[in-house]
Amino acid sequence: MVTLQHYLFLSAILFVLGAVGVMFRRNLIVILMSLELMLNAVNLTFIAFSRYLGSIEGQIFVLFVMVVAAAEVAVGLAVAVAVFRQKGTVDVNEINLMKW
Amino acid sequence: MESLIFYLLSAVTLISAVFVVFLRRPMHNVLSMIVVMIGLAGLFILLNAEFIGMVQLVVYAGAVMVLFLFVIMLLNLDQIRLPIDPREGRTWIGVGTALALLLVLFPILRAVIPSGTSAPETGQTMSNTQIIARELFTTYLLPFEIASVLLLAAIVGTVILAKKRS
């Protein structure tokens, strides 16, 4: 029997994996991908609650999260391309112009 | 049967997610990410959210990941090797924080979420897509329109950012 907790644990592990990716990796593209991983973990939580509470709102929210994620990826990758043109690298340690 | 499918999909998703984070070549990361998306789409369909599952396949596994592949090929990133990083102390602090987050999340989930019964019967006569459409175009009409404006802004911003300065 699969319970709500199963799904929540799965999505917690996925979220933490994404967080590890954001902090561990230095390639800007891979960091963006880890962000996507975290967003998808949250989506899984929404869908699981939507199923187990018998309410459709969770799925609507997931649609909006997907819209925002798509916009974020497009802009983020455009920024990555611009940074690569400027610096010749996507290593986040090299991109320190605005670092304090 | 349901648990079998659940554990299979979870295993595939988790293993690919580990690959996304820890493999060193960006191309391999993207390919594993596609597997993660497909596994999640399967889980969504298992949770009776067929429409979202299909959108996940089309939008994420299709469009977004192709965009990633496109950028990686455009920048020739697969050829560029980042030097073996010294893995500074603060990186490990970050990873430790993330793992601590996991250790905090688990007891909270266990304590707060009422432990499990199986999912209630849906008892819906309309299809999942119909219900979502009805909600989206009545109650959530304004957010829907705002989302379209956001996408338009993203398109314009992307074009301007990626344009070559002359």
Side-chain angles (χ1 to χ4, degrees):
Chain A
M1 188 177 70
V2 185
T3 63
L4 179 55
Q5 277 192 343
H6 284 83
Y7 285 103
L8 293 184
F9 282 149
L10 173 63
S11 96
I13 297 173
L14 274 179
F15 188 89
V16 169
L17 270 174
V20 168
V22 168
M23 299 198 234
F24 191 68
R25 298 301 300 260
R26 291 172 17 190
N27 189 330
L28 187 55
I29 309 278
V30 180
I31 288 178
L32 274 175
M33 238 184 292
S34 303
L35 272 178
E36 287 301 302
L37 202 57
M38 290 162 82
L39 282 169
N40 273 290
V42 175
N43 281 356
L44 181 61
T45 311
F46 268 126
I47 300 274
F49 269 114
S50 151
R51 172 83 177 89
Y52 281 83
L53 299 181
S55 140
I56 199 73
E57 267 79 14
Q59 301 185 20
I60 310 273
F61 268 88
V62 168
L63 273 182
F64 288 124
V65 170
M66 278 178 176
V67 169
V68 174
E72 171 248 319
V73 163
V75 174
L77 285 175
V79 169
V81 170
V83 163
F84 188 82
R85 285 222 186 96
Q86 199 86 30
K87 292 263 187 184
T89 178
V90 284
D91 185 346
V92 287
N93 282 2
E94 304 289 319
I95 307 165
N96 50 11
L97 185 65
M98 289 170 74
K99 205 169 177 181
W100 178 59
Chain B
M1 190 60 194
E2 193 199 350
S3 6
L4 184 70
I5 299 175
F6 172 77
Y7 285 117
L8 204 68
L9 285 173
S10 316
V12 169
T13 309
L14 282 180
I15 292 171
S16 316
V18 170
F19 284 166
V20 170
V21 174
F22 291 109
L23 285 188
R24 289 195 66 84
R25 295 186 67 165
M27 192 64 82
H28 294 171
N29 295 134
V30 173
L31 293 179
S32 329
M33 195 65 187
I34 292 177
V35 179
V36 172
M37 297 307 178
I38 293 172
L40 279 174
L43 283 169
F44 290 169
I45 292 171
L46 192 64
L47 282 165
N48 282 12
E50 298 95 355
F51 180 68
I52 302 287
M54 286 302 149
V55 170
Q56 174 92 0
L57 275 185
V58 173
V59 173
Y60 267 119
V64 170
M65 286 300 126
V66 168
L67 195 60
F68 271 107
L69 276 181
F70 191 72
V71 168
I72 285 174
M73 288 174 167
L74 183 74
L75 301 184
N76 228 347
L77 278 185
D78 227 28
Q79 307 300 322
I80 298 170
R81 291 274 179 181
L82 295 182
I84 299 299
D85 31 355
R87 295 282 184 237
E88 312 145 25
R90 51 165 196 236
T91 311
W92 288 110
I93 293 174
V95 174
T97 315
L99 293 180
L101 174 67
L102 188 67
L103 291 181
V104 171
L105 275 178
F106 265 50
I108 289 179
L109 287 181
R110 196 172 281 282
V112 174
I113 305 304
S115 74
T117 49
S118 53
E121 286 299 313
T122 44
Q124 58 199 28
T125 49
M126 286 186 292
S127 76
N128 177 254
T129 312
Q130 265 178 316
I131 300 174
I132 288 184
R134 178 164 296 171
E135 282 293 309
L136 204 57
F137 289 114
T138 54
T139 319
Y140 296 97
L141 186 59
L142 181 64
F144 182 76
E145 297 294 343
I146 293 174
S148 62
V149 176
L150 173 72
L151 281 177
L152 178 66
I155 295 170
V156 175
T158 307
V159 170
I160 288 177
L161 276 173
K163 197 174 61 179
K164 203 164 228 142
R165 307 271 190 285
S166 53

